[in-house]
Amino acid sequence: MKIVNLDAYTIHLNDLDWNELAQLGDLVTYDRIAPEDVIPAIENAEAVFTSKVKFTKAIIDAAPKLKFIGVTATGYDNIDLAAAKARGIAVCNVPAYSTESVAQHTFALILELTNHVGRYTALVREHQWENAPDFTFIDRPLLQLSGRSLGIIGYGSIGRRVAQIAEAFGMTVHIYSKEPVAAVQSDMLTLHCPATPDNKGFVNKDFISKMKDGAILINTARGALIDEQALADALASGKVLAAGLDVLTDEPPVCGSPLLTAPNTVITGHIAWLTRESRIRAIDMAIDNFQCYLEGHAVSIIN
């Protein structure tokens, strides 16, 4: 059986390997692959693994032997599930592999926006503390999490873990599915839902107008959930105090984004999931999915 792994580098990062997958067939691994090279790479493959390569109907139809697509991530909006189902191709993802890492990164963004550790460190290194008139160097005020409210949109494994951490900080948690108005009106709002055709850009001008004035918005889910220009405008006006974003609509943002130059915005490059522990789980779960499929009792089927 020919197995092709199309974009393996972000998972293995040269400190992990795919040796167990290689034991299940004739494995060809690409660290990354250009869009125009996908079809030649998979045209004779029976199983394909990918994290972010787009699998359109045209690509799926160009691989007549394909029987299995293993998504080495939780999100699968890059796969045309209907086209795969029409061909009888099983599509499996790796749910909840990055729960701890993404929840941790969510609070890394929150704490950077409330405590400004990176900014203060940079200013101290620029000798500004040395020139301060007081023993304490004050550039901007800090915000205390205890006593503030956090709205969570998307209450899967990550959303639930974020809620636990928030409560440990002394925050009041509002779950959007249970308390939509209270969640949107929270001091901070964090997104943990998948991107679907129905919710693309739902954080738009109208949605933002319903948010609490001066709220903080966090997104470690999918960039497509946010109308980027609407958020940039809200940050410029002060309607939204600050934003912590790990994801953007286009990744990498080679064509730019209004959020790249928006004020009071912290942006990391889709790294919330990237801990070694998460990557180990992603590999193990992806291989287990394929093993189960080969044994006739497929798990984590999403189509």
Side-chain angles (χ1 to χ4, degrees):
M1 171 178 287
K2 182 177 180 180
I3 307 169
V4 178
N5 196 341
L6 289 171
D7 51 349
Y9 178 75
T10 57
I11 308 295
H12 66 69
L13 290 182
N14 292 331
D15 63 348
L16 303 176
D17 62 64
W18 299 88
N19 292 341
E20 291 186 26
L21 182 59
Q23 296 174 15
L24 300 177
D26 180 15
L27 176 63
V28 177
T29 296
Y30 297 86
D31 277 349
R32 55 186 65 83
I33 194 165
E36 63 270 19
D37 294 330
V38 173
I39 288 177
I42 69 168
E43 58 186 354
N44 294 314
E46 294 176 68
V48 171
F49 288 79
T50 181
S51 176
K52 295 296 180 287
V53 173
K54 291 188 180 298
F55 266 71
T56 62
K57 183 178 186 300
I59 289 175
I60 290 171
D61 288 344
K65 297 181 180 180
L66 190 60
K67 300 175 182 177
F68 179 91
I69 298 174
V71 183
T72 55
T74 300
Y76 46 83
D77 47 308
N78 55 318
I79 311 294
D80 188 329
L81 297 180
K85 185 174 182 179
R87 280 275 313 279
I89 298 169
V91 182
C92 298
N93 71 334
V94 286
Y97 79 98
S98 63
T99 296
E100 295 296 332
S101 296
V102 175
Q104 175 178 310
H105 196 78
T106 297
F107 275 89
L109 293 172
I110 289 173
L111 291 169
E112 179 58 35
L113 293 171
T114 58
N115 287 63
H116 312 293
V117 171
R119 177 179 177 83
Y120 269 100
T121 297
L123 294 176
V124 168
R125 287 176 174 169
E126 292 172 5
H127 308 288
Q128 293 200 30
W129 189 13
E130 297 165 33
N131 299 318
D134 305 302
F135 74 95
T136 181
F137 171 49
I138 303 171
D139 172 70
R140 59 183 57 189
L142 310 186
L143 298 177
Q144 179 176 289
L145 294 185
S146 178
R148 284 186 162 80
S149 56
L150 178 69
I152 299 177
I153 300 181
Y155 203 54
S157 62
I158 295 173
R160 291 193 296 272
R161 187 69 179 109
V162 166
Q164 292 173 344
I165 298 171
E167 289 170 347
F169 271 108
M171 302 186 77
T172 300
V173 174
H174 299 292
I175 310 306
Y176 183 79
S177 58
K178 300 175 182 178
E179 306 173 277
V181 175
V184 174
Q185 277 281 302
S186 295
D187 297 309
M188 301 178 189
L189 187 62
T190 182
L191 308 181
H192 299 290
C193 52
T196 68
D198 294 332
N199 67 11
K200 182 178 180 181
F202 83 90
V203 181
N204 54 22
K205 183 177 181 179
D206 179 62
F207 182 94
I208 292 170
S209 71
K210 299 173 184 176
M211 292 174 62
K212 183 176 181 177
D213 290 347
I216 290 174
L217 179 66
I218 305 295
N219 186 13
T220 54
R222 284 291 185 267
L225 299 171
I226 293 176
D227 178 329
E228 294 189 346
Q229 188 61 59
L231 177 56
D233 292 343
L235 288 160
S237 71
K239 168 64 179 179
V240 174
L241 175 66
L245 311 171
D246 185 50
V247 288
L248 293 175
T249 300
D250 297 314
E251 298 175 346
V254 291
C255 297
S257 164
L259 294 172
L260 293 175
T261 54
N264 300 322
T265 303
V266 174
I267 303 176
T268 51
H270 205 142
I271 61 169
W273 63 281
L274 201 59
T275 64
R276 190 172 193 272
E277 292 82 358
S278 284
R279 293 184 291 111
I280 289 171
R281 282 193 292 273
I283 290 174
D284 289 347
M285 292 173 70
I287 294 172
D288 184 63
N289 285 346
F290 188 43
Q291 182 82 58
C292 290
Y293 166 79
L294 293 176
E295 294 172 356
H297 51 94
V299 297
S300 298
I301 296 286
I302 53 179
N303 66 331

